[in-house]
Amino acid sequence: MKKNIEIGSNIETLFGTRDENLHLLEDGLNVNINLKADCVEIEGAARDVTRAEQVFSDYEHLHRSGFVFNNGDLGSMLRIITTDATASLRGLAEAGRQRSFGRRTVQPKGINQRRYLEAMEKYDMVCGIGPAGTGKTYLAVAMAISALLAKRVNRIILARPAVEAGERLGFLPGTLQEKIDPYLRPLYDALYDMLEPEKVDRYLEKSVIEIAPIAFMRGRTLNDSFVILDEAKTTTSEQMKMFVTRLGFNSKAVITGDITQIDLPNYRRSGLLEAVDVLKGVDGLSFIWFDESDVVRHQLVQRIIRAYDEHKIRIAEEQMSLSLEGKGGANGNGKSNAAPVQDREKPPAEHVEEITED
């Protein structure tokens, strides 16, 4: 099926740099798009051509209504449209208008980010789990600010475990707040990015926005609040159970973490991992999973995360292979074919002396 669509002024924004958005639509919708002097020719299956035509129609409508696409939002929306048949450009843009994020316009950059935002609107407790750079914390803070500005909640509480990332910083100088601020800096960054600095300072001074380590949550009931637990992967089982039972009336809780970067000492099991097992069947709670395709940082970060995932799989396969070879090396009596201890090669003499001296 072929269809010609007349194009109006300023349509080049839809095309993108070097027609990258058109290539995105072609690959995602399985159509061919040819630019002509006064129209665009779309060729493909009837259903795919109709979806592509709807994109052009929605863009014209949004342009006439004065909508402005910022910071790559258009490309992000088109990626969602190509992966979700129920999504439309107009619907995504207008959904963003309905949320007030302070001085920022926040649009989901992918299908999982869209599901994440929708889950935070629908459910009272949401767990966002995935690699670094997928927007878990940033979007949670954005939704918290939206709820506060719309007066759906009276305060925002941001909690985070005070755990170093694999290193010991020792005793930090200053007051209690000055000691814990370094651990909570990512939350401050998100707040100052979305609100004017003066407003953030005023909210912090009046405790409308509260930032504290998770240890300060014990014994509290959090009513009329939007509560975010960041870096939940480094919580213990006891801390996670304590946090998820703080939720009071008219409150929401969002838990974020990357289960591939657990910083707990002594190989303790992450409270987030346990929560996934324990709470996955609980009504009113949603789990949203992200992967490397959702990373919105430098493209190199996506490739790095993918490389680490592949390395982890390769190591697991090697360990499994060695385990199977070890079982296969046993004789029929279930005994190992390895040489007796006395027949094995002895360590060098100097090595024995060192051990003896110790």
Side-chain angles (χ1 to χ4, degrees), residues 324-340 344:
L324 293 175
E325 289 177 2
K327 292 180 180 179
N331 59 28
N333 296 325
K335 297 180 180 180
S336 173
N337 290 328
R344 295 178 188 171

Side-chain angles (χ1 to χ4, degrees), residues 103-128:
R103 61 179 181 178
R104 282 280 183 179
T105 299
V106 178
Q107 289 286 351
K109 304 296 184 183
I111 185 65
N112 287 327
Q113 285 197 359
R114 182 191 178 199
R115 291 170 180 161
Y116 189 45
L117 290 175
E118 292 174 348
M120 285 188 280
E121 291 179 334
K122 181 178 179 181
Y123 295 95
D124 290 333
M125 186 173 292
V126 176
C127 291

Side-chain angles (χ1 to χ4, degrees), residues 128-134 136 256-261 272 288-291:
I129 304 172
T134 50
K136 304 181 299 295
T256 71
D258 176 6
I259 57 177
T260 67
Q261 298 186 45
L272 179 58
I288 304 297
W289 295 86
F290 298 87
D291 55 37

Side-chain angles (χ1 to χ4, degrees), residues 271-288:
L272 179 58
L273 283 174
E274 183 177 85
V276 172
D277 293 335
V278 174
L279 304 178
K280 58 186 176 184
V282 176
D283 292 336
L285 190 150
S286 175
F287 289 89
I288 304 297

Side-chain angles (χ1 to χ4, degrees), residues 157 159-161 214 227-232 235 240 243 254-256:
I157 299 175
R160 183 182 171 120
I214 189 174
V227 192
I228 300 173
L229 174 58
D230 191 31
E231 299 291 346
T235 59
M240 179 58 73
F243 176 82
V254 180
I255 301 168
T256 71

Side-chain angles (χ1 to χ4, degrees), residues 284-331:
L285 190 150
S286 175
F287 289 89
I288 304 297
W289 295 86
F290 298 87
D291 55 37
E292 76 277 356
S293 65
D294 299 304
V295 173
V296 292
R297 293 177 182 169
H298 195 287
Q299 290 184 351
L300 179 60
V301 176
Q302 292 186 3
R303 297 194 290 271
I304 289 174
I305 292 173
R306 190 179 304 115
Y308 270 102
D309 290 342
E310 292 172 354
H311 174 73
K312 185 177 180 180
I313 294 172
R314 188 166 58 253
I315 293 297
E317 291 174 347
E318 291 175 357
Q319 291 177 345
M320 178 66 71
S321 176
L322 291 174
S323 176
L324 293 175
E325 289 177 2
K327 292 180 180 179
N331 59 28

Side-chain angles (χ1 to χ4, degrees), residues 174-187:
T175 64
L176 177 62
Q177 191 64 39
E178 290 171 340
K179 290 177 186 293
I180 64 177
D181 273 354
Y183 301 102
L184 307 174
R185 181 50 52 189
L187 299 175

Side-chain angles (χ1 to χ4, degrees), residues 158-169:
L158 309 174
R160 183 182 171 120
V163 177
E164 297 98 337
E167 56 186 328
R168 293 284 178 261
L169 301 180

